[in-house]
Amino acid sequence: MAFAAVGDRTRAWELLRMINPVNHAKSPEEVTKYKVEPYVVAADVYAVSPHTGRGGWTWYTGSAGWMYTLVLESLLGLRVKGNRLQVSPCLPADWKECKLHYRYRETVYHIACCKHLNEVNRV
C-alpha cells in the first residue's frame, strides 16, 4: 500500500505477486510444497529447509480484508468517498487497460481505465 501511495507501481505490483497466495500454487508440485489453501493469505512462507516454500498461519482475521483493500483501493484505485466513487489507479506499466465491475448499493458500475496515447511511453 505504501509503494502505491508514493506512485511506485512497479514495486507495489511486485510485492502483490509475492504475497498473493494463488501464485504459490500454480502447479501440483507447488501445491504439494505450499501445503496451505491458495485462496487464503498466509502469515508465513517458510524460507528454511526442510520447509522452504511452505505456507503457514493461515486464516488470520483481517487478512482477506486487507488484501481486498490493497487490490481494490491502493492498486486498482477505486475508493468510495461519501456518495461518490473515485478512481485513481496505480497499474503496472505494461497494462494498457483494466475493467472493473463494482456494485455499490443497488447499482453496478462498469468502469474502464485506459492509458492515454501520450502516456504509453511514460515511466
Side-chain angles (χ1 to χ4, degrees):
M1 290 174 149
F3 284 107
V6 298
D8 189 344
R9 62 185 175 197
T10 301
R11 187 71 172 140
W13 283 88
E14 175 186 12
L15 291 172
L16 174 64
R17 287 182 195 100
M18 289 171 69
I19 66 170
N20 188 339
V22 167
N23 291 331
H24 293 282
K26 292 182 176 179
S27 70
E29 297 79 24
E30 289 174 322
V31 169
T32 301
K33 182 183 354 176
Y34 193 52
K35 296 192 184 288
V36 295
E37 308 87 342
Y39 48 83
V40 179
V41 179
D44 295 317
V45 177
Y46 299 101
V48 177
S49 185
H51 302 294
T52 304
R54 181 177 180 176
W57 298 91
T58 58
W59 293 100
Y60 271 92
T61 302
S63 64
W66 280 111
M67 181 67 89
Y68 179 84
T69 301
L70 166 67
V71 173
L72 188 66
E73 293 184 4
S74 296
L75 300 177
L76 298 178
L78 184 64
R79 291 183 174 86
V80 177
K81 300 277 188 172
N83 63 352
R84 297 174 186 241
L85 288 176
Q86 175 184 336
V87 181
S88 181
C90 180
L91 302 177
D94 60 335
W95 285 22
K96 291 182 176 48
E97 67 179 3
C98 79
K99 295 180 182 178
L100 303 168
H101 303 283
Y102 182 74
R103 181 180 175 161
Y104 181 70
R105 297 186 180 160
E106 300 300 318
T107 304
V108 177
Y109 295 88
H110 303 285
I111 303 165
C113 299
C114 304
K115 284 187 179 178
H116 292 342
L117 293 176
N118 63 352
E119 293 181 354
V120 170
N121 295 320
R122 191 180 344 171
V123 178

